[in-house]
């Protein structure tokens, strides 16, 4: 099966998206960019391929289950594949940590094994369908669990907590930069077995299901054309025509998602783009943030770090605000200082966060105005589009400044650039 | 007698009101009333007043205006006042203004006058080009013509001739106002603990939106109330603030300087009210008198050209001496060409006179005051340590 692949190498995350021969999205994958675009690309692509196989399996099962049952099974399967991937990397992390322990340091080895045993035991619970995680990236999950469990274990074993943390710190970069092994076959089979186990009352024709699974796994996903975009695109080992600018890709991606889009706002990790597109999705005008990454996603990242929270948790907390503290500077470098200043003045965290979200959106509104304002329809993309507090402020300001405009936000909006890139890949083969 | 708090609250209300309600109400009170807006640093408000119109000082949008469209009109590396002023216009907050004067302070404000013409073709817009040559026969006669043209333009807005007697009367009223403004500055310099700069500042800001007669009354009320009120004297040092003549600092910055241990005993906020250093004569040709006062008796600021390098800073040094200031804080808006280009020359002049100085920059919407408190506090402390040594 021919596939068209778009890869968006963002400053924070790397995204990959596969289009099938009929130009439907087969699957997407995302990973943290970890300052290593080569690995990030490999991981994102592998995730997208895994997702693609799930899509194929779902197609193979259609008609065999009612839609509720199908969704449940697919969700279970996806969660279990994530669990398999997590356990694989966790094993790698355990081995790498062990390799750093000096011979004769039996106490440390024992403690380390205890930490990893415990994480392994609790892992299925973490990856249960519907479970909430601070992040889906291995580094974040493993890091927070090692910190948490490591402290307890180290205390009980009478060894220094920093010994465990040092081992983790030494190893995580190695592990992260080793893309997980292939072995899709085995992982799928194991994940499937777990999923079925978790849903014993599901009426499934085992033979047919297994055949569908086999077909999904065996289908060859041939990479007909790959287009790369995003901040790290110059590092891709692609010829020039396989690389497209982010702005073009976001414009086209938004057009594919919502064909009536005329204005696109993309707030990514380190830039904000306002893009005007024509009815074909080709860029007519655009503006980017100048000077620095003030008011971009990275700013929220720093704030989250400063508050010791997950990036996903900022929006929900800001939604609890009863008022909005005015924040005029969205300087990423001074984000922490600004925050502490406000906290020192006795402002509540949620109110400060509401102010921060408004400040970001105000900057974006200003960039939109520079690019020519908002024409119906308006599509908001990028990682920040997943943040409910940012969306709330944006919608309010759009109505105030441009009236009743349709605002599109796709739940998969983080993949807009990758979708645009994949569409360029498809067009490259067509022409 | 009015209480200080009452007056301050009133002024704060005017300061915070980005809709200019007080001016709108003044205009609506009688049919045919006109409002003429002006930007820093100086316009002859007497001429506007003489035409029965209200001069409205526009000093940007301040810290509370959210600029959404204003940025689109300018490149990024300029100050904020033109962006927020454009924002005031495009959000219809200035839709009651019948004319706008843009004094020749810098290129940015000159460009703003052009934008205004394009944006609001029905509004009387004038780039008010004051002389940069102070010889009677050159700058002097040029300025007389400039004033006559301005008068003519203003007559177009108010729909009647502005007579010499009208101007003489207005000159007298503004002379009175200037005396009162100076009285407040003198009072503060003498007893700075009785007239905190944050109060003096908003009292002067009220003069940007109120009819001059009302403002003069307000000042008298304040002087009486402040004198009557006992407030604790602090062990603060005395400083002059320099460089804030156009884009204004947020009020919290002025408060921060004071909280950090500095009494502001003079400043260059809203120079329009103190531009002329002497009374303008009320007898004789009023236009010639206004011109003569400008050429011979106007203050020094970065927007005014001083051809004689050796005289640069004389005015500032004189102010510091006469106010018994112990130091000067250069506080200029980021990207303010006139203030920032002037600063090294003024700083050198102060150094030669052994007057301590520091400098920092702000924007009208600066939000973080910690660095300001740190710098002003250090300055205050070092001044004390030096004087003890």
């Amino acid at each position: 099966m021919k596939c068209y692949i778009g890869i968006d190498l963002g400053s924070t995350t790397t995204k990959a998206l596969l289009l099938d021969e009929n130009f439907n999205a087969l699957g997407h994958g995302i990973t943290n960019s970890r300052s290593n675009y080569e690995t990030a690309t490999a991981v994102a692509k592998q995730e997208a391929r895994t997702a693609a196989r799930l899509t194929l399996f779902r197609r193979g099962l259609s008609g065999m289950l009612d839609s509720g049952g199908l969704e449940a099974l697919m969700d279970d399967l996806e969660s279990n594949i994530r669990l398999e991937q997590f356990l694989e990397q966790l094993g790698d992390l355990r081995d790498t940590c062990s390799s750093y322990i000096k011979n004769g340091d039996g106490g440390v080895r024992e403690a380390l094994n205890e930490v990893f045993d415990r994480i392994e035991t609790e892992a299925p619970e973490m990856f249960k369908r519907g479970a909430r995680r601070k992040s889906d990236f291995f580094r974040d999950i493993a890091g927070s669990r090692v910190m948490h469990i490591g402290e307890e274990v180290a205390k009980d074993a009478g060894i220094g907590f920093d010994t465990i943390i040092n081992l983790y710190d030494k190893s995580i970069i190695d592990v992260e930069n080793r893309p997980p092994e292939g072995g899709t076959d085995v992982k799928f089979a194991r994940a499937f077995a777990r999923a079925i186990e978790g849903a014993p009352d599901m009426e499934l024709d085992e033979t047919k299901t297994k055949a569908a699974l086999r077909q999904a796994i065996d289908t060859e996903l041939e990479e007909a054309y790959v287009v790369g975009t995003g901040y790290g695109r110059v590092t891709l080992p692609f010829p020039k025509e396989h690389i497209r600018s982010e702005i073009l890709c976001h414009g086209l991606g938004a057009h594919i998602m919502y064909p009536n889009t005329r204005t696109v706002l993309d707030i990514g990790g380190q830039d904000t783009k306002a893009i005007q597109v024509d009815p074909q999705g080709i860029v007519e005008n655009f503006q980017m943030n100048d000077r620095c990454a003030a008011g971009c996603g990275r700013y929220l990242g720093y704030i989250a770090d400063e508050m010791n929270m997950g990036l996903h948790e900022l929006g929900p907390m800001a939604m609890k605000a009863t008022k909005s503290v005015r924040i005029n500077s969205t300087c990423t470098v001074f984000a922490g200082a600004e925050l502490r200043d406000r906290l020192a003045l006795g402002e509540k965290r949620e109110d400060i966060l509401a102010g921060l979200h408004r400040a970001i959106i105000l900057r974006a509104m200003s960039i939109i105005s520079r690019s020519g304002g908002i024409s119906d329809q308006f599509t908001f993309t990028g990682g920040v589009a997943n943040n409910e507090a940012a969306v709330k402020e944006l919608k309010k300001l759009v109505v105030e400044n441009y009236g009743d405009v349709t605002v599109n936000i796709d739940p998969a909006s983080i993949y807009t650039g990758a979708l645009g890139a994949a569409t360029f890949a498809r067009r490259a083969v067509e022409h | 007698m009015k209480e200080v708090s009452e007056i301050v609250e009133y002024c704060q209300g005017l300061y915070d009101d980005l809709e200019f309600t007080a001016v709108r109400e003044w205009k609506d009170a009688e049919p045919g009333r006109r409002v003429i807006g002006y930007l820093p640093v100086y316009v002859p408000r007497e001429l506007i007043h003489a035409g029965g119109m209200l001069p409205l000082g526009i000093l940007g949008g301040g810290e509370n205006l959210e600029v959404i469209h204003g940025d689109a009109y300018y490149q990024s590396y300029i100050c904020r006042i033109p962006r927020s002023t454009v924002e005031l216009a495009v959000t219809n907050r200035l839709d009651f203004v019948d004319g706008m004067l843009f004094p020749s302070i810098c290129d940015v404000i000159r460009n703003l006058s052009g934008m205004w013409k394009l944006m609001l073709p029905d509004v009387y817009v004038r780039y008010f080009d004051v002389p940069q040559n102070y010889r009677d026969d050159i700058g002097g006669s040029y300025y007389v013509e400039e004033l006559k043209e301005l008068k003519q333009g203003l007559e177009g807005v108010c729909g009647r001739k502005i007579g010499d007697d009208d101007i003489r009367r207005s000159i007298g009223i503004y002379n009175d106002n200037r005396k009162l403004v100076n009285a407040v500055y003198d009072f503060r310099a003498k007893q700075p603990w009785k007239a905190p700069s944050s109060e003096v500042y908003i009292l002067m800001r009220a003069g940007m939106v109120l009819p001059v007669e009302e403002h003069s009354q307000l000042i008298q009320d304040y002087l009486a109330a402040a004198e009557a009120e006992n407030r604790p004297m602090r062990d603060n040092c005395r400083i002059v603030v320099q460089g804030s003549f156009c884009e204004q600092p947020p009020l919290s910055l002025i408060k921060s300087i004071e909280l950090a241990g500095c009494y502001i005993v003079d400043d260059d906020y809203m120079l329009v009210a103190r531009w002329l250093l002497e009374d303008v004569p009320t007898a004789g040709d009023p236009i010639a008198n206004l011109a003569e006062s400008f050429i011979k008796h106007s203050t020094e600021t970065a927007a005014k050209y001083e051809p004689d390098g050796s005289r640069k800073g004389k005015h500032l040094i004189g102010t510091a001496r006469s106010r018994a200031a112990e130091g000067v804080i250069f506080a200029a808006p980021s990207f303010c060409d006139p203030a920032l280009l002037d600063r090294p020359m003024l700083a050198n002049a102060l150094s030669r006179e052994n007057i301590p100085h520091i400098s920092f920059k702000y924007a009208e919407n600066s939000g973080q005051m910690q660095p300001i408190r740190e710098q002003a506090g250090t300055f205050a402390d070092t001044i004390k340590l030096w004087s003890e040594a």
Side-chain angles (χ1 to χ4, degrees), chain A residues 206-275:
Chain A
E206 212 178 313
T207 325
K208 277 187 184 168
T209 313
K210 280 194 171 154
L213 184 66
R214 177 90 336 240
Q215 205 191 350
I217 294 170
D218 287 346
T219 305
E220 195 199 347
L221 297 172
E222 183 202 336
E223 296 184 9
Y225 206 97
V226 183
V227 166
T229 185
Y231 218 78
R233 63 181 181 272
V234 288
T235 62
L236 289 175
F238 296 171
K240 199 164 84 20
E241 57 273 21
H242 284 249
I243 290 180
R244 287 276 180 275
S245 89
E246 276 177 87
I247 295 174
L248 285 173
C249 288
H250 275 95
L252 186 58
H255 168 80
I256 299 290
M257 285 173 167
Y258 302 98
N260 292 324
T261 296
R262 289 295 173 277
T263 306
V264 184
L265 171 68
D266 173 68
I267 309 187
Q270 56 187 18
D271 49 40
T272 299
K273 305 175 206 76
I275 309 167

Side-chain angles (χ1 to χ4, degrees), chain B residues 171-183:
Chain B
I171 286 174
I173 290 171
Y174 274 93
N175 281 346
D176 292 343
N177 182 259
R178 203 178 306 111
K179 273 189 210 118
L180 286 164
V181 167
N182 287 332

Side-chain angles (χ1 to χ4, degrees), chain A residues 290-291 326 328-329 331 334-335 337-338 341-342 345 358 362 365-367 369-371 397 400-402, chain B residues 63-77 83 87 335 365-370 373:
Chain A
D290 44 18
R291 294 186 286 208
R326 182 174 299 280
N328 286 326
S329 155
C331 176
F334 284 125
E338 174 104 37
D341 203 32
R342 304 286 163 167
L345 291 171
R358 182 159 181 93
L362 276 172
M365 287 301 290
S366 171
I367 291 167
S369 181
R370 240 176 224 268
S371 79
L397 282 162
E400 279 168 26
N401 286 277
Y402 300 100
Chain B
E63 57 192 311
N64 288 321
L65 185 70
E66 294 176 333
V67 173
I68 289 171
H69 303 288
D71 275 341
Y73 290 71
Y74 279 96
Q75 66 275 35
S76 58
Y77 43 88
R83 309 163 197 278
E87 189 76 21
F335 301 105
N365 65 336
S366 290
Q368 289 188 48
M369 288 305 141
Q370 183 57 39
R373 287 196 295 271

Side-chain angles (χ1 to χ4, degrees), chain A residues 15 19 22 28 44 55 59 153 167 172 209 211 230 236-237 248 258 282 306 343 348 351 355 366 371 378 390 415:
Chain A
K15 285 77 65 177
L19 285 182
N22 300 317
H28 29 54
T55 308
R59 285 182 190 168
V153 171
L167 287 170
I172 186 69
T209 313
L236 289 175
L248 285 173
Y258 302 98
I282 304 302
E306 194 66 33
L343 285 171
K348 282 198 286 193
D351 296 343
S366 171
S371 79
F378 173 59
Y415 296 103

Side-chain angles (χ1 to χ4, degrees), chain A residues 148-161:
Chain A
H148 190 74
I149 298 174
E151 196 174 357
E152 281 175 26
V153 171
K155 204 170 144 194
D156 293 345
I159 58 167
F161 173 45

